Amino acid sequence: SFETPVPYIAGILCLGVWGTFNGRRIRVELDELRAKKDRLPKLEDELRKEKQAHAESKSSYSESLKSALQFMLCSEATGFDHQCRVSIYRRQTSVDDKMRLIFRFSEHHSYKVDGRLTLPMDEGVVGAAWKNHGVKHVTCEHPPDSQEFRDHMKTELGNENCALPAGQRSMPTKEFYAKALQDHDTGNRIAVVVFEATEVGRLNIATIDSILANQTLDVTRFVKHLGRLDLEFAPKSGRL
């Protein structure tokens, strides 16, 4: 009967027991939370190191891909030497209106590091190879800084509905050979490789064509992988 104190005492005892067990549960959970909080800096440090190691691995893979492309494209058989440069421009996504430089090599330091990171898809020999027949070969004996050279290039590129490159050139090129690369699986164009030389006749075009034809699967695979890595590592802005 609730007219006696017995039910109330029983209720109080039950609440006391529940409170005791609940208090112990809360203390255990608090101890666990404190332990997790104490481990958090260590976990964050481990995560940071893991991310750094992962980034270093991807960077090393990127350099390996570049070394492989250099080995294939810059052999002595192609005529490649310190007066030459090879670059690969890739359309990174289907909505891009520019080609992005993902690979460049030259034994001449300034030729290797200077130049534009992106090119409009309708500009220069790269645009001519990308837009039209997949290849563009231009030679000119006039000095690259002369009006005669400019007029010659304007005619060559105008025939392909492409514009002259804007600004100063980073290399006094007299011979250009640009060729589009196609995805082995889809057949779609994915990039353009362009060889340059400061002397006409320096490049062995037949050998370059043979290498690109015989090793097309490896070249395009390396270019696709390098393009994906470039999307992660590339700066958001660069010299245009």
Side-chain angles (χ1 to χ4, degrees):
S1 173
F2 285 96
E3 294 179 357
T4 67
V6 175
Y8 299 102
I9 294 173
I12 293 172
L13 289 174
C14 289
L15 286 174
V17 172
W18 177 84
T20 299
F21 283 105
N22 192 51
R24 290 178 179 175
R25 180 182 62 81
I26 292 174
R27 285 194 296 272
V28 170
E29 290 178 354
L30 286 174
D31 289 341
E32 291 177 351
L33 288 174
R34 291 191 187 98
K36 291 179 180 179
K37 182 180 178 181
D38 292 339
R39 292 199 304 270
L40 184 59
K42 181 180 179 180
L43 293 174
E44 289 177 339
D45 185 59
E46 290 176 352
L47 180 60
R48 179 186 60 79
K49 291 179 179 178
E50 184 176 342
K51 286 183 176 180
Q52 182 178 353
H54 188 49
E56 290 174 353
S57 296
K58 289 191 289 186
S59 179
S60 297
Y61 181 48
S62 176
E63 291 303 315
S64 296
L65 292 173
K66 292 177 181 179
S67 295
L69 286 170
Q70 176 187 332
F71 177 78
M72 287 188 291
L73 301 177
C74 305
S75 66
E76 290 185 4
T78 66
F80 199 95
D81 63 10
H82 66 283
Q83 299 183 73
C84 303
R85 178 170 75 181
V86 60
S87 307
I88 296 178
Y89 287 88
R90 173 160 161 74
R91 191 184 188 192
Q92 293 289 58
T93 69
S94 60
V95 298
D96 285 350
D97 60 355
K98 291 185 178 182
M99 308 285 286
R100 182 170 181 86
L101 178 69
I102 63 168
F103 171 79
R104 170 165 283 167
F105 177 75
S106 175
E107 295 175 6
H108 194 295
H109 179 71
S110 64
Y111 298 165
K112 181 178 180 179
V113 299
D114 290 342
R116 302 163 70 188
L117 290 177
T118 59
L119 291 176
M121 298 173 67
D122 59 352
E123 182 180 296
V125 295
V126 173
W130 177 264
K131 288 182 58 178
N132 300 311
H133 307 296
V135 62
K136 186 63 178 178
H137 186 198
V138 183
T139 63
C140 184
E141 291 286 7
H142 295 293
D145 58 353
S146 67
Q147 186 60 44
E148 290 85 357
F149 181 89
R150 184 177 178 83
D151 291 341
H152 179 77
M153 293 298 296
K154 187 174 182 180
T155 299
E156 287 281 351
L157 297 175
N159 292 336
E160 309 285 356
N161 294 317
C162 289
L164 285 172
Q168 295 292 325
R169 291 197 52 79
S170 59
M171 177 177 172
T173 305
K174 289 187 176 182
E175 182 170 15
F176 302 86
Y177 184 66
K179 192 162 188 176
L181 301 176
Q182 292 181 310
D183 189 329
H184 183 76
D185 297 321
T186 65
N188 296 329
R189 289 181 183 176
I190 59 172
V192 172
V193 55
V194 54
F195 287 82
E196 301 175 66
T198 58
E199 289 184 6
V200 175
R202 173 69 58 179
L203 297 171
N204 188 330
I205 304 302
T207 300
I208 292 173
D209 277 340
S210 177
I211 290 173
L212 292 176
N214 294 333
Q215 302 192 48
T216 181
L217 180 59
D218 285 336
V219 171
T220 55
R221 180 163 55 90
F222 293 164
V223 167
K224 287 197 296 182
H225 289 185
L226 198 58
R228 295 189 189 102
L229 292 170
D230 183 75
L231 288 172
E232 296 186 44
F233 295 139
K236 294 183 179 180
S237 62
R239 181 179 173 186
L240 303 181

